[in-house]
Amino acid sequence: MASTLNVEQITRELLVSNEQLKQIQQLLEQEMDAGLGVATNEKADIKMYPTFVRDVPNGTEKGKFLALDLGGTNFRVLLIELNGSQFEMDNEIYAIPQEIMLGTGQQLFDHIAECLAHFMERRDVKQYCLPLGFTFSFPCRQEGLTKAKLVRWTKGFRCIGVEGADVVELLREAIKRRRDIDIDVMAVLNDTTGTLMSCAHKKRDCAIGLIIGTGSNACYMETLDRIETCSHLTNRPLPGQCEDTDPDQMIINTEWGAFGDNGVLNFIRTKWDHELDEFSINRGNQIFEKMISGMYMGEIVRRILVDLTRRGYLFKGRCSNKMIVPYKFGTNYVSLVESDRNGATIQTKWVLNEVFGINEVSDEDVRNVQLICQRVSTRAAYLVSTAVATLLNRMQREHTTVGVDGSVYRHHPHFHNIMVRKIRELTDPKYSFDLMLSEDGSGRGAALVAAVAHRQKLQKLKEAQLAKQLANL
Ligand code: BGC
């Protein structure tokens, strides 16, 4: 039977004070510096990967591009036509079956190539070799715009033989195996970079791209002199090299989901967080992400509900069969419960019935379920705000637009407002910001990065031709 404690008291562990959040800011700042340093990068949890994207679009980007988007629950193929600030987009969603997510790398890339061929056939562009941007939203060590080695899988993927390999190469090989299509891969990028680029297309002061979806991560524009791992890139021409005319900056993919993998966040983690990690397919990894993102938030709630029910605090101590199924309670249901405000109960009751088959609940049960959802999601919003504030303080720009995307941010009824308030509290008042919902960063952003790269490639070809003509004069 339940003791004298109540659900409100037991779940206070989920509350994080501003003092704790400020401590997290300091830790994060240290980890980010470590990630950017040559000598410290190997040990750093936050890897701060250079993306080789040095500028945002200038509005002159033009042409037809293909884009692939792999990284969330679905895979998408897109055909995008850019014309300055105008763009037209056509896309198709393809499912990635669980057996492919956990199968071999070859199966995965063959599936991707098959979807691409199917799409090109349906759009009647199979005979063209179009430039392509590949949004691949997993931690990758990039060695250039078209070379990205997967460091490790996240978010429910675990295909064998891909970690350590160049994903562009794997894509090209899969396409070659088919022999019926050809493509010109211009860029591989993370969804955060796509989000930043897509927002910057509209607002040039966009300098952060943030995802709060199945996973969580952010990228931002960093000055080159702070990126020790890129010290070979500078505007000053090196002996024997031609002048680098790109701006002295680069987008850094922080991969902050891995923050806390070394234990620094244990002071705020609860036993439910530890349990979730223990039973996940990537134990010990993505600790920050596991407290924030859509893949896990509902599962944390479910674990708390099961625990408190078993201890007699909820549903008269009776767990339904459905309640004990891992990942049964998706984060979309947390958002639904959160939309019952000011004493409303209709959504919560519907969710409990729909997901767990529980149809007899007391008013107290409903209030408790709502409290748990509220505490778990507010904690997530606070943590992500803390990280955004850390970036804003670090960049020291007068005003920054933060491009945001992801299912949690889009569908949770209060996430945006909580974030605006918390970021303000944790950011130096000298720096202001706006949160801007990105319009399909993973798709449009991929086309934009590909477009910029394509423009540069054509420019270089032209220059080479000109030089040849001059030499023949
Ligand atoms: C991945 C990131 C990605 C984020 C959001 C994380 O799990 O490691 O690369 O940006 O999810 O999709």
Side-chain angles (χ1 to χ4, degrees):
M1 254 333 271
S3 69
T4 51
L5 281 176
N6 62 27
V7 172
E8 192 284 319
Q9 289 163 323
I10 297 174
T11 56
R12 275 188 206 164
E13 275 189 72
L14 294 161
L15 304 177
V16 263
S17 65
N18 270 7
E19 207 174 295
Q20 288 172 313
L21 294 177
K22 285 184 184 153
Q23 203 177 330
I24 294 174
Q25 272 186 301
Q26 275 179 9
L27 291 165
L28 192 57
E29 182 73 31
Q30 282 163 17
E31 287 285 333
M32 286 182 170
D33 283 336
L36 291 174
V38 172
T40 42
N41 176 274
E42 200 188 320
K43 284 223 172 104
D45 269 346
I46 304 185
K47 291 293 184 199
M48 308 291 275
Y49 294 114
T51 61
F52 294 83
V53 178
R54 303 268 293 274
D55 203 0
V56 294
N58 64 11
T60 65
E61 290 74 21
K62 261 191 183 164
K64 244 186 197 179
F65 299 89
L66 282 168
L68 302 180
D69 173 18
L70 180 76
T73 17
N74 290 310
F75 165 65
R76 280 187 318 154
V77 185
L78 305 96
L79 182 63
I80 296 159
E81 188 150 3
L82 290 172
N83 190 0
S85 58
Q86 311 281 322
F87 87 103
E88 268 175 49
M89 193 179 93
D90 181 12
N91 75 116
E92 212 153 308
I93 296 179
Y94 297 89
I96 305 253
Q98 178 94 14
E99 63 270 18
I100 289 191
M101 283 169 84
L102 303 175
T104 68
Q106 179 153 341
Q107 279 169 327
L108 173 69
F109 282 89
D110 281 347
H111 179 66
I112 291 176
E114 191 182 322
C115 298
L116 176 61
H118 172 262
F119 180 86
M120 290 175 82
E121 168 104 58
R122 299 252 300 236
R123 300 308 185 274
D124 210 12
V125 291
K126 216 171 169 183
Q127 66 276 34
Y128 303 111
C129 178
L130 291 172
L132 177 142
F134 182 17
T135 304
F136 183 76
S137 306
F138 300 94
C140 286
R141 194 174 289 283
Q142 281 195 237
E143 289 168 21
L145 210 46
T146 53
K147 200 171 173 73
K149 288 189 179 151
L150 174 68
V151 176
R152 66 181 185 210
W153 287 114
T154 58
K155 295 179 290 196
F157 277 79
R158 202 173 53 186
C159 304
I160 301 150
V162 187
E163 289 182 348
D166 175 4
V167 294
V168 175
E169 237 357 89
L170 294 179
L171 175 66
R172 285 189 178 130
E173 281 164 12
I175 285 170
K176 228 188 252 160
R177 275 196 291 276
R178 298 184 56 83
R179 299 199 189 144
D180 60 343
I181 51 169
D182 199 7
I183 48 153
D184 190 8
V185 183
M186 297 306 308
V188 57
L189 60 147
N190 187 261
D191 50 357
T192 55
T193 305
T195 298
L196 192 160
M197 293 293 273
S198 143
C199 285
H201 195 219
K202 284 208 177 129
K203 288 194 85 183
R204 278 199 55 101
D205 72 354
C206 178
I208 295 181
L210 168 66
I211 302 282
I212 319 162
T214 309
S216 176
N217 186 18
C219 70
Y220 72 108
M221 194 58 97
E222 181 61 283
T223 50
L224 271 192
D225 57 7
R226 288 176 75 168
I227 316 174
E228 229 181 85
T229 45
C230 271
S231 55
H232 57 293
L233 296 169
T234 158
N235 273 359
R236 269 164 278 120
L238 298 171
Q241 283 188 9
C242 53
E243 189 171 2
D244 170 359
T245 49
D246 287 335
D248 254 344
Q249 55 177 14
M250 186 183 283
I251 295 178
I252 290 291
N253 168 16
T254 65
E255 285 296 336
W256 73 26
F259 182 34
D261 289 6
N262 59 3
V264 292
L265 290 178
N266 285 353
F267 72 106
I268 57 156
R269 291 174 74 208
T270 64
K271 73 164 184 170
W272 305 297
D273 296 304
H274 285 281
E275 272 171 26
L276 176 138
D277 180 47
E278 194 67 20
F279 293 99
S280 67
I281 62 165
N282 55 350
R283 189 159 20 129
N285 292 340
Q286 302 294 101
I287 294 301
F288 193 54
E289 175 165 277
K290 283 174 177 157
M291 287 193 275
I292 295 172
S293 75
M295 171 139 187
Y296 308 103
M297 229 200 282
E299 176 63 3
I300 301 177
V301 169
R302 189 195 66 82
R303 287 187 173 274
I304 300 175
L305 294 179
V306 170
D307 181 31
L308 297 191
T309 305
R310 285 188 175 144
R311 288 159 66 187
Y313 292 102
L314 287 170
F315 311 127
K316 298 198 182 114
R318 283 199 297 269
C319 274
S320 69
N321 286 344
K322 290 183 179 168
M323 251 177 108
I324 54 172
V325 179
Y327 293 89
K328 179 86 186 153
F329 196 73
T331 299
N332 52 328
Y333 295 116
V334 178
S335 293
L336 264 181
V337 169
E338 280 274 78
S339 62
D340 266 343
R341 273 274 148 131
N342 303 323
T345 58
I346 183 160
Q347 302 289 0
T348 310
K349 284 184 174 158
W350 181 85
V351 165
L352 288 173
N353 187 18
E354 173 76 12
V355 190
F356 294 146
I358 302 178
N359 45 29
E360 270 180 38
V361 281
S362 67
D363 288 350
E364 200 187 350
D365 281 338
V366 171
R367 273 198 306 278
N368 281 330
V369 171
Q370 291 176 341
L371 179 76
I372 292 165
C373 288
Q374 188 216 329
R375 287 196 164 163
V376 170
S377 53
T378 304
R379 183 183 70 157
Y382 280 4
L383 290 174
V384 90
S385 305
T386 305
V388 172
T390 309
L391 288 181
L392 292 171
N393 290 336
R394 186 181 174 86
M395 292 195 296
Q396 301 182 342
R397 296 187 182 210
E398 210 175 303
H399 183 85
T400 305
T401 295
V402 182
V404 197
D405 209 344
S407 49
V408 176
Y409 180 77
R410 276 178 186 273
H411 304 308
H412 189 288
H414 315 296
F415 228 78
H416 172 87
N417 292 344
I418 301 176
M419 280 183 67
V420 171
R421 186 164 45 82
K422 205 36 102 182
I423 297 174
R424 211 168 271 146
E425 281 174 30
L426 298 169
T427 305
D428 186 326
K430 286 203 292 273
Y431 314 128
S432 59
F433 67 92
D434 276 313
L435 299 185
M436 174 180 177
L437 182 68
S438 149
E439 275 175 59
D440 190 18
S442 306
R444 188 143 68 116
L448 285 167
V449 177
V452 174
H454 191 58
R455 195 183 62 210
Q456 285 166 346
K457 185 174 163 181
L458 292 181
Q459 181 68 25
K460 280 195 185 124
L461 275 175
K462 256 193 213 153
E463 281 166 11
Q465 266 170 0
L466 203 66
K468 218 171 167 187
Q469 279 169 7
L470 284 173
N472 289 340
L473 275 182

